[in-house]
Amino acid sequence: MIEITGLGEQPEEEAAQDKVSSLAENLKLPAVTRTFYCKPLGGLYSLPYLTDEMSEHSGTLSRAEWWELLFFIKKLEQHEQQEVVHFIQQNRKEQLSELDEESLIQLSVSVELAQKVLQLLSKLCQGCTRSDLQSSHIYLKYSFSKGRAEQNCQNGDMTLPECGSLSEAMASKKPKKELLSAESPSAAPSTTEKTDTQLINELLKVEGLAFPDTLDEKVKVFCSTKLTGKRSSLEKIADIGDIIQKSSSEVGLQMAGLRFITKLLEEEPGQARQVIKADGGLTVREKMVKMLVELLSNQLKEKLLVVMALRLLYVLVAKYDWRVLFATEGGVRAVLGCMQEYPTSALVQQAGLTALKVLVGAGNCELLGTSGKSYPLNHSDAQMMREIFASIGSATSKDSDNLLCAIPAAIQKMLGTPGASSAVQNGLLVLNMLISNHKGLAEQLGNCDLHSVLQNCCHSGQNSNEMLARIVLNRLAEHKLPLSQENADPEDTFELKDMDVPALLSSLRDTSFSKEVVLALERCLCDEGIGTEGDGSELLPDREHFLLLLKTLEQLGAEKSVQLGVLRILNKFLDSSKEDVLPWHECIKPCLSSMSVHSNEREVVQEFIRFLHRLATTNKDCAVVMCRVGTKEALTKAMDKHNSNLLLVTELRDLVTDCEKYASLYKKMTTSILAGCIQMVLGQIEEHRRSHQPINIPFFDVFLRNLCQGSNVEVKEDKCWERMEVSSNPHRASKLTDRNSKTYWESNGSTGSHYINVYMHRGVVV
């Protein structure tokens, strides 16, 4: 009997478990059938042959984990295998006289011993085997668990980029012995980094600022605006903006209007970044920009109002691309003036840095509808934005404080504010964008004690900000600015060649400034005069960091400079790469995706074609993969778009065409192998069902789990099949699928002719 008791919700699962338990007791079923309602990671229902006997917290490896470890032991040379087995015998609490093949398979191994064996294996394994070991389930689970990372770092043969801090990673390679000998103080417990919104809300409480009691009542007045029949949110906020401008003497009403508009924009779903070009939109844009500039310029003494206006600016330019207009209308000067007016207020400094970050397109935005992505300015707009900042710095008289000095001062203020590392990062991102390719701005900001502030960031203990500060220092060094006497300490000098490539790759995990890391990595690896000793193979990333680089290529698909930078890095890695060290086939899909995004950019398309051609000629397996992912079609579109004025495009297309026969062969082979594997799996499951004996095949659970997760589409139960046929009483067949456990279908045929046939949709994995 089979009974569908629920769809997986917790209350139904508990009820189902009770039913199974009572049924097992009544029918005297073996205990193996009682595990159907366990759910492992990944969402699959655990079956009896996938359930480990050992508890996860028993201190002993599960059978599957031990077999995985044993798999890597068996890949060693015979004398090395004996060495490892002897090591296991010596370190077991229960001494064993002899370990033959059978007893080795059935061995029970403690987690502590497994960790020692993993360290030994990492020394003995070479090449691809070592790479496979370091990406295996057991290695990732037991070598990098909490409390052991520091221990692993102390092992010289197992040093990985994750072990060291970013400060060590960015330090000079020459004094490395001194770094190893000097013990750094233990860092404070890490806390989750606060978002821009969370930090502003927290600082409001810290500085004792509260909204007036009457503010909510005044907000309700604006809520009635929704009933005026306005079609879009832009029309609504335009009306409210008019009210705010007319009520310049009523600060409370202005606050209520700002709060209402901010809330309206924050809660608006599906509002991807919009560039308003219609005539009607221009009027709304000009109204809102003018209103914000006037508030920030004329209401400087109202601190809470300033903070609310800066917050609205952040939301508004994140939703709509009005940045250049705001900057040209005096908005940048107004924001810097607010920050300079309140130098001791961490709240105003945070709000100002956040607004500047979005204005110059230097970082991600967290708002609903913006997809958490950065929206960089195009080249001409970015250069115009830099010129606006430079003109502000030039127009300031020597006697008065330079408005640009508000940015380094804000960073210094936030460095001393607990939990404000995200604000420091915002400021560093703004600085990095401004001084990029603009020596005048670099000089003006350099006169604001910028070098000293950056050095403070490097010694603040905030690892990600330390990396970013060193990147900004390198930007300054590119302009060859003379340092002041107090900043001329030779120990504080920093050169690009001092950057550690593995640490730069590792820091790509922090997507908030991955663009800056990619560009720094490009200069570090590819610029002339910053060469590396040897053949460059020591700079090759491991698989994890290589995939991080490809992920960045996809995430920053709109950034032309990043796309070209990643291509130069990949070409550099390809120069030094040995066969099968890196998964080069993983590059193909991101490259084709980037070609599609930049289809109108001939330079970008040409560089991707050069790289793909080189990859296909270097590794024929990659050429075969290109046949399977639509490379030929992408090349045809590129040729049509650019009138065949692309180098190597014809050669690459012919190369891919020649490999189509191999791709077809590989597809047939894969189908045959997969069919055989599925047949083996079904046979083992059927044998288990009949005999209730465990399936003693190494990696069977891993294989089955991967097999079941092969489908990339989940379908509901009633969408899995096309039709159902029964041997008799077809009018009652619907009772099988009516989700009522009390109804049933019953056969009325002769002996041996009972059946239920379910015809599945093509491609469904059961």
Side-chain angles (χ1 to χ4, degrees):
M1 293 176 62
I2 299 176
E3 181 183 9
I4 299 175
T5 57
L7 299 178
E9 290 82 358
Q10 190 63 27
E12 294 186 2
E13 282 187 18
E14 293 175 357
Q17 186 66 63
D18 293 339
K19 288 186 179 182
V20 172
S21 300
S22 60
L23 187 64
E25 290 177 6
N26 293 336
L27 300 180
K28 308 299 183 189
L29 292 178
V32 70
T33 61
R34 302 189 190 185
T35 59
F36 274 91
Y37 291 90
C38 301
K39 276 191 177 180
L41 293 175
L44 291 175
Y45 286 92
S46 177
L47 298 175
Y49 41 86
L50 297 186
T51 305
D52 282 322
E53 298 174 6
M54 296 294 181
S55 168
E56 186 178 351
H57 304 290
S58 64
T60 307
L61 295 189
S62 67
R63 184 178 60 185
E65 290 170 341
W66 165 237
W67 279 350
E68 185 176 15
L69 189 57
L70 188 58
F71 171 79
F72 289 103
I73 296 175
K74 291 294 183 182
K75 296 198 76 170
L76 299 172
E77 297 291 338
Q78 188 62 38
H79 69 279
E80 292 175 333
Q81 289 186 34
Q82 294 173 356
E83 179 184 342
V84 175
V85 171
H86 182 66
F87 177 81
I88 292 173
Q89 286 178 295
Q90 285 185 324
N91 287 272
R92 270 181 58 89
K93 294 179 181 178
E94 302 172 5
Q95 294 297 325
L96 299 171
S97 56
E98 191 65 32
L99 277 177
D100 55 13
E101 284 293 321
E102 185 65 29
S103 57
L104 195 61
I105 290 174
Q106 302 298 333
L107 193 64
S108 175
V109 177
S110 67
V111 171
E112 183 181 358
L113 177 56
Q115 290 165 1
K116 296 177 182 178
V117 174
L118 282 170
Q119 290 188 17
L120 183 59
L121 284 175
S122 65
K123 297 177 183 178
L124 296 175
C125 293
Q126 302 294 328
C128 295
T129 305
R130 183 173 184 176
S131 177
D132 291 340
L133 172 68
Q134 292 177 347
S135 59
S136 65
H137 164 77
I138 189 169
Y139 188 88
L140 295 175
K141 181 175 181 180
Y142 293 113
S143 282
F144 293 104
S145 55
K146 293 180 180 178
R148 300 188 191 96
E150 186 177 343
Q151 175 184 344
N152 289 339
C153 291
Q154 294 171 356
N155 187 335
D157 294 322
M158 296 181 64
T159 302
L160 292 175
E162 290 84 353
C163 298
S165 66
L166 292 176
S167 57
E168 296 170 15
M170 297 298 297
S172 174
K173 296 175 184 176
K174 295 179 181 178
K176 205 161 190 176
K177 293 179 180 178
E178 298 175 12
L179 284 173
L180 292 173
S181 61
E183 289 291 334
S184 58
S186 59
S190 61
T191 57
T192 305
E193 191 169 304
K194 299 179 180 67
T195 65
D196 295 331
T197 304
Q198 290 172 339
L199 187 54
I200 283 182
N201 292 335
E202 184 176 299
L203 291 174
L204 276 169
K205 297 176 183 177
V206 171
E207 299 195 8
L209 290 180
F211 297 115
D213 296 335
T214 59
L215 191 63
D216 289 336
E217 293 296 326
K218 292 180 179 178
V219 169
K220 291 178 182 178
V221 176
F222 291 106
C223 290
S224 63
T225 310
K226 288 185 176 181
L227 306 176
T228 60
K230 296 294 182 183
R231 293 186 302 276
S232 69
S233 59
L234 276 177
E235 291 176 319
K236 294 173 187 175
I237 64 176
D239 285 351
I240 299 170
D242 289 337
I243 298 173
I244 293 174
Q245 278 188 297
K246 293 174 183 177
S247 57
S248 57
S249 59
E250 296 185 46
V251 176
L253 192 61
Q254 289 179 326
M255 286 185 183
L258 293 176
R259 187 174 186 183
F260 177 78
I261 297 175
T262 304
K263 190 174 181 181
L264 179 67
L265 292 174
E266 284 179 336
E267 294 177 352
E268 191 171 22
Q271 184 82 20
R273 192 165 189 78
Q274 297 185 15
V275 181
I276 306 298
K277 294 184 178 178
D279 292 339
L282 286 174
T283 305
V284 176
R285 180 177 66 173
E286 290 168 353
K287 282 183 181 180
M288 293 304 299
V289 167
K290 183 179 179 182
M291 182 265 292
L292 278 173
V293 173
E294 287 182 357
L295 280 180
L296 293 172
S297 303
N298 302 330
Q299 299 284 10
L300 273 178
K301 301 303 178 184
E302 298 292 339
K303 183 177 178 180
L304 184 56
L305 183 66
V306 166
V307 172
M308 295 179 73
L310 289 171
R311 176 63 184 172
L312 175 57
L313 172 63
Y314 170 78
V315 176
L316 200 61
V317 296
K319 290 280 185 177
Y320 306 104
D321 201 0
W322 299 347
R323 295 173 290 181
V324 174
L325 177 64
F326 180 82
T328 54
E329 291 296 321
V332 171
R333 181 184 293 274
V335 173
L336 294 175
C338 293
M339 296 170 66
Q340 195 177 65
E341 180 71 18
Y342 296 96
T344 60
S345 171
L347 174 62
V348 176
Q349 304 306 312
Q350 155 65 3
L353 290 174
T354 304
L356 289 176
K357 175 187 72 171
V358 182
L359 269 176
V360 301
N364 297 346
C365 183
E366 67 198 38
L367 297 178
L368 179 67
T370 59
S371 306
K373 297 180 180 178
S374 61
Y375 294 93
L377 295 164
N378 60 48
H379 179 73
S380 58
D381 287 347
Q383 201 59 30
M384 182 186 296
M385 190 71 75
R386 293 187 186 100
E387 294 299 335
I388 290 172
F389 275 87
S391 65
I392 292 172
S394 302
T396 308
S397 62
K398 295 182 179 179
D399 296 331
S400 61
D401 290 334
N402 191 333
L403 280 176
L404 293 183
C405 293
I407 302 175
I411 296 174
Q412 186 62 48
K413 172 64 180 176
M414 302 315 290
L415 269 175
T417 304
S421 61
S422 61
V424 176
Q425 186 178 102
N426 290 341
L428 292 173
L429 287 170
V430 171
L431 287 175
N432 187 68
M433 182 272 175
L434 292 179
I435 65 177
S436 176
N437 301 319
H438 201 294
K439 186 172 182 178
L441 264 176
E443 289 177 347
Q444 292 174 1
L445 288 165
N447 293 331
C448 297
D449 204 20
L450 177 59
H451 194 274
S452 174
V453 172
L454 293 175
Q455 290 295 341
N456 290 338
C457 291
C458 291
H459 300 99
S460 65
Q462 299 171 356
N463 291 337
S464 59
N465 290 338
E466 180 179 340
M467 167 76 79
L468 198 49
R470 291 189 177 275
I471 291 174
V472 178
L473 278 170
N474 172 62
R475 290 278 191 193
L476 283 175
E478 288 175 354
H479 294 298
K480 296 181 170 58
L481 301 178
L483 293 177
S484 59
Q485 197 64 33
E486 62 271 17
N487 291 328
D489 188 347
E491 293 183 2
D492 287 339
T493 57
F494 171 73
E495 296 182 17
L496 187 59
K497 63 184 179 182
D498 296 330
M499 284 188 175
D500 188 28
V501 173
L504 280 170
L505 287 164
S506 181
S507 62
L508 286 173
R509 290 188 182 89
D510 193 335
T511 57
S512 56
F513 62 96
S514 50
K515 173 186 174 181
E516 287 72 19
V517 174
V518 167
L519 298 180
L521 187 62
E522 178 199 3
R523 295 192 299 274
C524 184
L525 285 171
C526 307
D527 282 2
E528 295 182 6
I530 311 180
T532 56
E533 299 176 359
D535 59 359
S537 59
E538 70 278 1
L539 298 180
L540 283 176
D542 58 20
R543 179 186 177 89
E544 181 188 3
H545 292 150
F546 184 77
L547 295 178
L548 270 176
L549 185 63
L550 297 182
K551 185 179 179 182
T552 305
L553 179 66
E554 292 184 287
Q555 289 175 336
L556 300 177
E559 296 261 14
K560 178 181 175 181
S561 60
V562 173
Q563 302 294 298
L564 295 175
V566 172
L567 275 181
R568 289 188 71 194
I569 295 168
L570 291 175
N571 273 304
K572 189 70 174 180
F573 287 154
L574 196 55
D575 289 340
S576 309
S577 180
K578 298 177 182 177
E579 189 176 358
D580 297 332
V581 173
L582 294 173
W584 285 104
H585 64 281
E586 299 281 1
C587 299
I588 299 170
K589 279 189 177 180
C591 287
L592 293 178
S593 176
S594 296
M595 277 180 60
S596 176
V597 172
H598 295 275
S599 58
N600 295 323
E601 297 273 357
R602 186 184 179 281
E603 178 190 2
V604 179
V605 173
Q606 180 65 78
E607 290 305 315
F608 274 109
I609 289 174
R610 287 182 190 275
F611 173 72
L612 290 173
H613 180 267
R614 185 184 177 197
L615 193 61
T617 52
T618 304
N619 190 324
K620 285 293 187 291
D621 287 336
C622 290
V624 173
V625 173
M626 290 180 193
C627 299
R628 306 290 301 275
V629 295
T631 305
K632 195 173 179 179
E633 293 78 4
L635 294 175
T636 302
K637 289 180 181 178
M639 292 173 70
D640 293 341
K641 176 83 71 174
H642 299 282
N643 300 321
S644 304
N645 294 325
L646 294 168
L647 301 176
L648 298 176
V649 65
T650 306
E651 291 85 343
L652 178 58
R653 189 177 63 175
D654 293 342
L655 189 59
V656 172
T657 302
D658 292 341
C659 289
E660 285 180 348
K661 56 184 178 182
Y662 302 113
S664 176
L665 176 62
Y666 288 176
K667 183 178 181 181
K668 291 177 182 177
M669 289 173 58
T670 304
T671 303
S672 300
I673 293 169
L674 189 59
C677 291
I678 292 174
Q679 186 176 2
M680 181 272 293
V681 165
L682 293 176
Q684 291 293 329
I685 293 174
E686 177 63 17
E687 179 62 27
H688 164 78
R689 188 184 68 81
R690 294 179 183 278
S691 65
H692 296 289
Q693 295 299 316
I695 298 175
N696 289 315
I697 298 178
F699 297 114
F700 183 80
D701 56 340
V702 177
F703 171 75
L704 184 57
R705 187 167 289 115
N706 289 332
L707 190 67
C708 293
Q709 290 177 339
S711 174
N712 58 2
V713 178
E714 290 187 7
V715 289
K716 294 183 179 179
E717 181 188 337
D718 56 353
K719 301 295 183 183
C720 291
W721 60 73
E722 296 178 7
R723 68 184 189 279
M724 188 185 313
E725 292 180 358
V726 292
S727 56
S728 59
N729 287 338
H731 61 282
R732 293 188 60 85
S734 61
K735 304 298 182 183
L736 289 167
T737 58
D738 63 358
R739 297 187 179 276
N740 186 346
S741 60
K742 295 183 179 180
T743 61
Y744 57 91
W745 167 84
E746 185 177 30
S747 175
N748 193 26
S750 58
T751 303
S753 65
H754 314 303
Y755 65 81
I756 303 171
N757 288 339
V758 182
Y759 292 83
M760 309 302 294
H761 282 299
R762 188 178 183 85
V764 172
V765 178
V766 182

